[in-house]
Amino acid sequence: MAFQTIHHKTSPVGVAASHLQSLSRRDFVAGSALIDGRWIARELRDVVVDPATGEEIADVARCDAVDMNSAIAAAERSFSAWRGLLPAKRGAILRSWASLMREHSEELSILVTSEQGKPLAEARHEISYGAGFLEWFAAEGERAYGETIPSHKPDSLLHVRMLPIGIAAAITPWNFPVAMITRKAGAALAAGCPMIVKPAPETPLSALALARLAEEAGVPAGAFQVVVGDPVELAAPLLRDPRIRALSFTGSTEVGRLLLESSAKTVKKVSLELGGHAPFIVFDDVDLDKVVKGAMVAKFATSGQDCLAANRIYVQRGIYDAFVKAFAAAIAQLKVGHGLEPATDIGPMTKLSVAEKCRAQIDDAVTRGARATSANQNAGLGPRFVVPTLLWDVTEDMLITKEETFGPVAAVLPFDTEEEVIARANASEMGLAGYVYTDSLRRALRVSERIECGMVGVNTASFTGPPIPFGGWKQSGLGREGSRHGLAEYMEMKYVCFGDLAA
Ligand code: NAD
């Protein structure tokens, strides 16, 4: 099979810096943290870089454990008034926050692309997706119904209410620096809980800009705070303090395990959105064009830095050669470059370690006999760029089938039977998402039920959004975000038995 070579030009240095300088909202790059309704500047600063060029584009306050303790105390002070507001009033504030996000979508998108690297069109989509969680939970907070239980005791009324759990903390990742905050904060605030966010150090600007807009929307002092700085130093007070009743984390399984273990000491309610290793299963009765389009989205959205990314693409032998050829042709069309360049499909990896992991997986697969296109073509681009690469004839002994990639490297493996592919798809400790492409309804029902994961796309690669319960099985996480279930992560049940009611 012959494949097209991809040519790329070097990105212009300074593009992100100049975009940031021309932002109408200069306060978005002021770099102070929001604690107790005050914008805190610190002499110690952490640098934010444009991952495409490595250039320093801003700096932000380096807060410490003392600051985090102040944030916890402020959250405690704000709790009673915030939980005391009518849900409709909290909803109105969340809706106003979402409107401000939409109004400032372009500035926010530029921030996201500048510090995270994703193409601007994807950043714009993230702002809308992120605002959608605030709007969803604004309404869902008004529907936090309790229940009345038919009594098993005479002259009694059994009543259950859903009440806010207390102060919530969020530790968020860099791949969706806006939406992973609003998905957590929307739910927490709608439930009546103050939230403290510790964003990823790679993407603090997006989080701080969200905090500016939250303040403008009327979220009171202490109810939503963003504290930036060293992850371990800032996490310690959150984990130790018994007043933090809920902890929501999105990131790697490795760090998730650590946080779960540390939360055990104060028995916090922990929700975890962790790593994925999604199987993408293609049966040979499918429409080739549709499945290739789906595979492109499932693999290359967010430049592959997506926990839903198709990490193991299993293709039934009858369509295998045709799929590989068509998929390779589609991959060859992808444009790699700076996210602020309009033609870019694939930006840099936000973290150098992710780019290195991609390269190690490619080298390992090729050494073990996989075939590849596009490898070693990233000369001229910075070290965080990974040229989209297709690996096929991949086998289960290769690193890429054992660990998450989190970059634009696609692994294709042939299979023969339904039983076999289900067993291979489930041979993973991860269980976030899966994909099934088939024209048979019966098979779609069977396979989607048997894949061990929290979310399945049948004949589609786009299934996320505020109404769906986002979350994983096995070591991909605990709890759900979005949907009505996302609200429950921040609520406790209160059962009250009214007895002796006879006249
Ligand atoms: P990471 O776990 O290193 O970082 C995530 C967050 O945890 C960041 O805010 C970071 O500063 C913080 N952190 C890191 N070490 C910490 C520690 N010892 N104590 C406290 N906080 C700490 O992960 P990453 O490399 O930034 O992100 C990539 C991983 O995240 C991937 O494996 C991906 O699958 C996963 N992820 C999952 C989802 C999901 O929804 N399930 C979404 C995005 C990313």
Side-chain angles (χ1 to χ4, degrees):
M1 241 176 266
F3 296 102
Q4 194 177 324
T5 301
I6 307 170
H7 297 286
H8 307 286
K9 62 180 167 60
T10 310
S11 300
V13 174
V15 60
S18 66
H19 272 77
L20 291 185
Q21 275 154 20
S22 61
L23 284 184
S24 56
R25 290 292 304 251
R26 294 296 302 150
D27 57 334
F28 282 2
V29 282
S32 314
L34 179 62
I35 298 175
D36 197 11
R38 284 174 299 127
W39 288 94
I40 310 286
R42 286 278 169 270
E43 217 160 278
L44 279 175
R45 313 286 293 167
D46 283 317
V47 160
V48 184
V49 299
D50 171 359
T53 59
E55 172 199 23
E56 294 180 11
I57 51 171
D59 53 42
V60 295
R62 186 186 300 170
C63 300
D64 57 19
V66 175
D67 293 319
M68 187 56 94
N69 283 323
S70 305
I72 296 170
E76 188 183 25
R77 285 192 296 278
S78 77
F79 183 35
S80 157
W82 182 250
R83 72 178 293 178
L85 289 180
L86 285 175
K89 176 63 185 162
R90 289 197 296 264
I93 293 173
L94 289 174
R95 280 192 197 92
S96 154
W97 188 7
S99 306
L100 287 166
M101 284 178 68
R102 294 190 188 283
E103 189 184 318
H104 294 287
S105 169
E106 203 55 22
E107 289 108 319
L108 290 172
S109 304
I110 288 169
L111 283 185
V112 168
T113 295
S114 300
E115 63 181 358
Q116 199 279 341
K118 67 177 67 177
L120 195 56
E122 288 190 352
R124 290 185 184 119
H125 178 260
E126 181 179 349
I127 305 310
S128 170
Y129 177 60
F133 287 107
L134 299 180
E135 290 155 351
W136 171 267
F137 284 114
E140 205 56 31
E142 295 192 59
R143 296 190 282 256
Y145 300 125
E147 54 190 70
T148 304
I149 301 168
S151 182
H152 61 310
K153 293 179 176 296
D155 305 324
S156 300
L157 173 67
L158 314 183
H159 180 58
V160 178
R161 289 179 72 197
M162 299 299 289
L163 297 173
I165 191 167
I167 308 171
I171 297 181
T172 56
W174 43 263
N175 63 340
F176 284 89
V178 165
M180 294 305 100
I181 292 177
T182 55
R183 194 160 75 181
K184 297 175 194 306
L189 291 169
C193 303
M195 174 165 265
I196 301 170
V197 176
K198 198 246 26 103
E202 294 78 11
T203 53
L205 298 176
S206 310
L208 293 168
L210 279 180
R212 296 261 169 201
L213 298 179
E215 197 181 29
E216 280 166 43
V219 178
F224 179 75
Q225 304 176 87
V226 174
V227 187
V228 288
D230 177 73
V232 176
E233 181 175 0
L234 296 184
L238 294 174
L239 293 166
R240 219 175 16 236
D241 200 308
R243 290 172 293 177
I244 302 291
R245 295 307 318 137
L247 174 69
S248 179
F249 170 75
T250 298
S252 60
T253 297
E254 192 189 2
V255 173
R257 271 190 213 108
L258 282 177
L259 299 179
L260 183 61
E261 215 176 308
S262 305
S263 297
K265 291 188 190 102
T266 50
V267 196
K268 300 185 195 309
K269 189 167 185 180
V270 180
S271 55
L272 303 171
E273 301 291 350
L274 308 176
H277 193 33
F280 184 103
I281 302 172
V282 182
F283 288 95
D284 61 11
D285 58 355
V286 291
D287 177 306
L288 188 61
D289 284 350
K290 284 186 186 163
V291 76
V292 168
K293 281 198 184 97
M296 290 300 289
V297 172
K299 179 68 247 182
F300 294 104
T302 328
S303 310
Q305 300 176 110
D306 194 323
C307 47
L308 298 179
N311 223 66
R312 298 167 289 154
I313 302 172
Y314 293 104
V315 183
Q316 203 165 22
R317 215 158 304 255
I319 200 176
Y320 183 76
D321 286 343
F323 175 84
V324 169
K325 194 169 171 204
F327 195 31
I331 292 170
Q333 300 302 314
L334 291 171
K335 300 274 182 305
V336 180
H338 198 292
L340 291 168
E341 289 171 2
T344 296
D345 301 302
I346 303 288
M349 302 299 98
T350 313
K351 289 169 90 161
L352 182 60
S353 56
V354 174
E356 285 166 348
K357 188 179 185 191
C358 290
R359 287 191 270 275
Q361 288 190 353
I362 294 168
D363 290 348
D364 170 80
V366 170
T367 307
R368 290 173 193 274
R371 294 196 281 166
T373 64
S374 309
N376 305 319
Q377 292 178 33
N378 58 346
L381 292 162
R384 298 194 208 193
F385 281 95
V386 176
V387 169
T389 299
L390 173 64
L391 297 168
W392 78 103
D393 291 356
V394 167
T395 51
E396 259 84 5
D397 62 331
M398 299 173 187
L399 276 180
I400 197 161
T401 46
K402 294 181 184 161
E403 55 180 34
E404 186 178 35
T405 304
F406 229 58
V409 184
V412 180
L413 305 87
F415 76 91
D416 291 298
T417 68
E418 183 180 316
E419 265 320 293
E420 170 210 336
V421 79
I422 290 170
R424 289 168 71 188
N426 288 341
S428 167
E429 288 172 349
M430 299 301 159
L432 189 63
Y435 302 83
V436 184
Y437 275 75
T438 177
D439 219 21
S440 156
L441 178 60
R442 283 202 181 90
R443 181 149 60 195
L445 285 168
R446 280 194 307 267
V447 179
S448 60
E449 186 178 321
R450 290 184 61 198
I451 310 179
E452 294 167 354
C453 62
M455 298 170 282
V456 182
V458 175
N459 295 330
T460 180
S462 344
F463 54 77
T464 61
I468 70 120
F470 193 107
W473 290 12
K474 303 201 267 189
Q475 294 183 37
S476 284
L478 286 177
R480 293 294 180 272
E481 292 193 316
S483 77
R484 67 191 169 87
H485 304 286
L487 193 73
E489 300 291 331
Y490 299 93
M491 304 203 90
E492 287 280 27
M493 271 188 200
K494 169 65 65 76
Y495 158 62
V496 181
C497 174
F498 296 89
D500 194 21
L501 292 178

